[in-house]
Each structure stands twice: as C-alpha cells, then as structure tokens.
Amino acid sequence: MVTLRKLYLPALMAALVFGMVPVQAADVFVNLATTEVQLSEATAARRTLVYKVTTAEISTTEVCSKAGGALTTASAGAQAVILDLIVKFEMPAADVDTLGPLAYKLTGATDVVYITGIQVVSHDPYADVAEILADTGTGGVVIVNDGITAAKLATGCLTADEFAADAIVAATFATGAFTADAFAAAALIAATFATDSIAAD
C-alpha cells in the first residue's frame, strides 16, 4: 500500500496541475435586487448589468427566465470582463419583452453564474428619477381633471396638520380637478384645514 500511494499521489498532482482531471464548476449567485429595466428598453446602456464573479471568464451558454418561467430560454447577451473579476452583461432587447422578474444562468468553462433580482417594469425608472430631481418644489403639484376621486380620499385622511398657511392656491388646480364625485361623505371636514390653509390666490 505504501508503494502504491507513493506512485499514485505524484501522478494525481501532476494531472491536476496540467488539467488532465476536470475541475468541478462552481455556482456563483449574483443578487441584483431592486434593478429595474423598462419593458422593451431600446437603450443598450440601460439594459447593462455590472457584477462581480469568482473567475474572469466569458460564459459559453446563456439562458434566462422571464416572469418566473423556466430557466431555459436561450439568451445572447454580450459580455466583457471590464476589470479583474468585474463583468458587464448587456441583456438583449428580446429578454426584456415580458413584465416581471428576469433571471439568468450563465455557464462558463469554470463557473456557473446565476443572476437574480432584475424586474422588467412598465414605467421608465430613468425618466421617473429625472422628473423627481428636476422638481424644485416651487411649482407645486398640479392635479389633473378627475385626479382625485372619492375612493382615494377616505374619511379623515387629511387633517389640519397636513396643510401650512397658503399651502393651496388657485393655480394649484386645473379646471375641473375637483368634482362632486371626488369626495366620500365627510372626507373633508372643518378640522382638516388650518386657518388660511386655502387662499383665494
């Protein structure tokens, strides 16, 4: 047994060093939770993911799961190692054609990378943020026609503390923004408003 061990171990070590024995692939899990991509997004940069892996390699097989479906749909995303173990993956436009969660399985020579946490949404995350950042607060909020309905204002939902003096002026509302149907019974009561919270101008 001693002789066999002496002969076997050096041979095994040599096989590992020179790649004669296959190395088992490692599973790498990448969670990109809160990543939103607009449905049918046309801009490639907005479909690009950046994440860290354990082996700097490009996968040879790509599949995805749309809206919680089977993780078997063929994909053809463009990949590149941008620095050491940092990889970027450009999701094809065809992969973001369905609302809901989107996941990937990227199989390389060494590792299998699973990417989760992506949501395909109907709104534009970039435009939404830009509109919020662009609002200086000086223009107030304009309520469009039928913007407020009875179902949106429950009894007592607004209290006196909600409004500062002159918080609401005539220019705040579009013509017909409020109608008789806009309010549930007793949705607005005298105690709702502070003194002078609604001014004529």
Side-chain angles (χ1 to χ4, degrees):
M1 294 295 293
V2 174
T3 303
L4 289 175
R5 182 178 298 172
K6 288 182 178 180
L7 291 174
Y8 175 73
L9 288 179
L12 177 60
M13 292 301 296
L16 288 172
V17 170
F18 293 103
M20 297 172 62
V21 174
V23 179
Q24 184 176 3
D27 289 339
V28 179
F29 297 92
V30 178
N31 186 352
L32 299 179
T34 71
T35 298
E36 293 186 344
V37 181
Q38 187 176 26
L39 181 70
S40 303
E41 176 60 67
T43 304
R46 297 183 180 185
R47 300 194 311 269
T48 299
L49 310 174
V50 177
Y51 51 90
K52 184 179 180 181
V53 293
T54 57
T55 303
E57 64 180 6
I58 302 301
S59 64
T60 54
T61 303
E62 304 171 1
V63 292
C64 70
S65 164
K66 301 178 184 181
L71 193 56
T72 55
T73 302
S75 178
Q79 298 178 59
V81 177
I82 58 177
L83 176 66
D84 298 331
L85 299 177
I86 306 300
V87 175
K88 74 172 183 178
F89 175 66
E90 181 186 311
M91 298 180 289
D95 289 358
V96 295
D97 63 354
T98 305
L99 292 174
L102 178 62
Y104 285 93
K105 176 183 178 182
L106 310 178
T107 304
T110 305
D111 296 336
V112 179
V113 179
Y114 296 88
I115 303 176
T116 59
I118 308 163
Q119 288 286 334
V120 179
V121 296
S122 56
H123 65 274
D124 184 345
Y126 286 84
D128 290 350
V129 172
E131 289 173 3
I132 293 171
L133 294 177
D135 187 357
T136 61
T138 58
V141 177
V142 177
I143 302 175
V144 298
N145 291 350
D146 298 323
I148 297 178
T149 63
K152 294 178 182 178
L153 294 175
T155 301
C157 67
L158 300 177
T159 66
D161 294 334
E162 303 289 335
F163 302 95
D166 298 323
I168 301 176
V169 296
T172 304
F173 301 99
T175 302
F178 289 99
T179 65
D181 296 331
F183 300 96
L188 299 178
I189 58 178
T192 301
F193 301 96
T195 303
D196 298 327
S197 63
I198 302 179
D201 55 0

